[in-house]
Amino acid sequence: MTPKKICGIGAGYVGGPTCSVIALKCPEIQVTVVDKSKERIAQWNSNKLPIYEPGLDEVVKKCRGKNLFFSTDIEKSIKEADIIFISVNTPTKNFGNGKGRAADLKYVEGAARMIAELATENKIVVEKSTVPVRSAESIINILRANHKPGVTYQVLSNPEFLAEGTAIDDLLHPDRVLIGGEDSAEGRAAIEQLCKVYENWIPRKNILTMNTWSSELSKLAANAFLAQRISSINSLSAVCEATGADVSEVALAVGLDSRIGSKFLQASVGFGGSCFQKDILNLVYICECLNLPEVADYWQQVINMNEYQKSRFSAQVIESLFNTVTDKQIALLGFAFKKNTGDTRESPAIHVAKTLLDEGAKLHIYDPKVEEEQIMVDLSHSCVIAEPEMIKNRISIHKHAYDATKNTHAIVLCTEWDEFVELDYRRIYANMMKPAYIFDGRKFLDHEELRKIGFIVRTIGKKIMKTGIS
Ligand code: UDX
Ligand code: ADP
């Protein structure tokens, strides 16, 4: 049997784009994305989608109202669906057992309980959110303990590997799709049903089926490996700064070894985003619970190195500005955790901004996609400056990079937006206080050109030039 209706629970960064692409590629399937947040659903039904993702608007416009629906009628959608995707948030727990490390599964559990309460026919429940190993077991236990007479469930693990900013392309052309399920006739039949959905646009050879726990662990492992590469190159950036080596040259040389490969070797102010830190903390916690402290320590070090990198970069800014930024005007260009997204979760810019605020700086922030309100929320939350009014006085959010940099002592670049390469730096230099500094936390501007203009340039993974200001 081919599935006719899919329900996606959770209209966030994962659920929204994933379900939209399924609708695009499977015109025969009716896809309904539900969320308990009325506001989010209203945004998905409007002309301004709640998330910025290149190509997403076009996909949604093409399918919405035809075979793609966004709704708050969770009950109807669950009842009708053959397959239900759980794509709710799984933040790190901020209280109780496993605080600061374990994944908080309350939303996944809530979704499972809701399905058990509402479903009146057999369902395939797909775990899309990234979850700890053996979470599928908890979901199935909840479903089977609360099922209605005659209703059976199969739970599959189908982790999502999309990266923000390239989500649509990642969904259209994934390296692989993983489907983990129970090793039983019913389990294999459920896996087959989900394969049928993906086979609408993904070659069968790229769809890997496996046991549920392998699938769950593979997702954590992939993120941990990617983050580990960034921490590795960032650790070497500190060695470069101390020796005169250039981390870009080292990354190029190392990455040309086909066994290593060139991706994810860009040294930076540190990695951010909703997944890397959360998933590694989660892995560390699992290892501790399994009494594998050496393994836990190994992965914890990837996080520690990332914290070190963010602090090192912030300290470099302060040290270079004569060891004090009190009352200095500093332009912060880029607030998102990477380019082509408006997402600020775990963005290194937050760490840098807070450090500079703590030291008394006045910040002028510009990001092409992050809303002013979001920046204020991120910087008010657990900032040492207790008074919200005080924060407001020390932060101005600008609509253009040129306004943000006017009359400032320094530019601190935290996100690698393409438009920052295109800026007229002669114009910017002319309007800044002198000496004018640029701290390139992404190592992506033309530093020689900037030095010719007159800027003092500092970046990651390259020894500071002592020869004059050029
Ligand atoms: C990541 C994974 O790539 C994706 O497969 C998973 O599904 C979710 O987590 P995402 O967090 O959206 O995706 O972005 P990603 O492109 O992986 O970047 C994460 C962070 O690492 C960003 O802050 C980025 O700027 C940084 N990064 C990336 C580097 O600092 N250097 C690099 O070489 C690559
Ligand atoms: P992710 O990045 O994992 O997609 P988001 O926070 O962007 O996470 O989105 C998760 C969405 O899931 C939120 O919009 C939230 O309102 C929704 N959600 C969480 N629990 C439920 C639930 N039980 N029913 C419906 N929606 C839910």
Side-chain angles (χ1 to χ4, degrees), residues 9-15 34-37 40 74 87-90 107 110-111 114 274 345:
I9 304 180
Y13 280 91
V14 173
V34 296
D35 202 292
K36 58 187 179 186
S37 160
R40 256 217 169 162
I74 301 179
S87 0
V88 299
N89 35 338
T90 49
Y107 300 106
M114 213 164 63
S274 70
R345 287 179 287 179

Side-chain angles (χ1 to χ4, degrees), residues 123-143:
K123 304 286 170 198
I124 296 172
V125 176
V126 182
E127 184 184 78
K128 256 277 161 225
S129 319
T130 305
V131 286
V133 187
R134 298 198 83 90
S135 298
E137 198 169 29
S138 314
I139 297 178
I140 198 77
N141 285 342
I142 292 170
L143 292 172

Side-chain angles (χ1 to χ4, degrees), residues 160-162 164 219 264 266 268 272 276 337-338 442:
E160 187 44 70
F161 292 99
L162 66 80
E164 287 177 32
K219 169 68 195 199
F264 276 70
Q266 172 67 48
S268 67
F276 284 174
F337 79 94
K338 63 185 238 188
R442 294 290 179 164

Side-chain angles (χ1 to χ4, degrees), residues 418-438:
D418 291 343
E419 67 173 65
F420 295 160
V421 179
E422 308 296 328
L423 292 171
D424 178 351
Y425 283 96
R426 284 188 188 280
R427 172 176 164 194
I428 290 178
Y429 181 77
N431 289 323
M432 283 176 70
M433 316 271 249
K434 308 295 177 324
Y437 284 79
I438 288 193

Side-chain angles (χ1 to χ4, degrees), residues 129-376:
S129 319
T130 305
V131 286
V133 187
R134 298 198 83 90
S135 298
E137 198 169 29
S138 314
I139 297 178
I140 198 77
N141 285 342
I142 292 170
L143 292 172
R144 288 183 182 158
N146 294 287
H147 76 120
K148 296 208 168 58
V151 177
T152 65
Y153 294 100
Q154 276 299 318
V155 175
L156 302 178
S157 157
N158 172 220
E160 187 44 70
F161 292 99
L162 66 80
E164 287 177 32
T166 54
I168 299 302
D169 199 49
D170 295 340
L171 286 161
L172 290 173
H173 312 285
D175 290 340
R176 75 312 202 184
V177 167
L178 291 194
I179 304 179
E182 207 174 88
D183 189 14
S184 64
E186 295 80 8
R188 283 188 290 274
I191 290 175
E192 211 35 52
Q193 292 255 333
L194 191 54
C195 283
K196 278 196 179 127
V197 174
Y198 285 111
E199 275 180 78
N200 279 293
W201 77 100
I202 294 160
R204 182 68 193 226
K205 68 175 174 42
N206 294 354
I207 305 175
L208 267 66
T209 60
M210 56 182 67
N211 101 26
T212 317
W213 325 133
S214 306
S215 170
E216 289 178 334
L217 184 57
S218 299
K219 169 68 195 199
L220 292 184
N223 276 348
F225 270 60
L226 290 169
Q228 182 203 44
R229 283 173 70 94
I230 303 169
S231 277
S232 296
I233 199 70
N234 282 345
S235 75
L236 292 173
S237 73
V239 179
C240 290
E241 285 161 37
T243 57
D246 181 338
V247 75
S248 302
E249 292 175 353
V250 175
L252 177 69
V254 170
L256 280 172
D257 185 326
S258 60
R259 293 168 302 175
I260 297 172
S262 61
K263 293 182 180 166
F264 276 70
L265 286 182
Q266 172 67 48
S268 67
V269 50
F271 60 74
S274 70
C275 291
F276 284 174
Q277 175 164 316
K278 181 187 77 173
D279 290 354
I280 296 177
L281 286 171
N282 190 344
L283 183 61
V284 168
Y285 183 68
I286 293 169
C287 294
E288 282 173 2
C289 295
L290 295 171
N291 200 19
L292 299 168
E294 289 80 2
V295 186
D297 289 351
Y298 176 77
W299 289 110
Q300 178 63 45
Q301 199 51 33
V302 173
I303 303 275
N304 297 351
M305 185 51 62
N306 198 46
E307 290 304 309
Y308 173 65
Q309 188 74 351
K310 290 186 277 186
S311 305
R312 231 165 53 76
F313 179 72
S314 311
Q316 192 192 54
V317 175
I318 296 163
E319 272 168 38
S320 303
L321 295 174
F322 312 101
N323 243 339
T324 175
V325 290
T326 308
D327 289 334
K328 283 194 175 136
Q329 312 286 334
I330 297 183
L332 195 85
L333 295 189
F335 203 78
F337 79 94
K338 63 185 238 188
K339 73 171 181 179
N340 292 341
T341 177
D343 195 352
T344 62
R345 287 179 287 179
E346 305 300 337
S347 176
I350 300 174
H351 182 110
V352 174
K354 279 187 179 173
T355 309
L356 296 174
L357 286 171
D358 291 353
E359 293 282 334
K362 293 192 172 160
L363 297 185
H364 299 266
I365 303 175
Y366 167 69
D367 186 285
K369 287 291 169 200
V370 181
E371 306 282 344
E372 172 164 358
E373 202 187 342
Q374 186 61 49
I375 296 176
M376 296 315 272

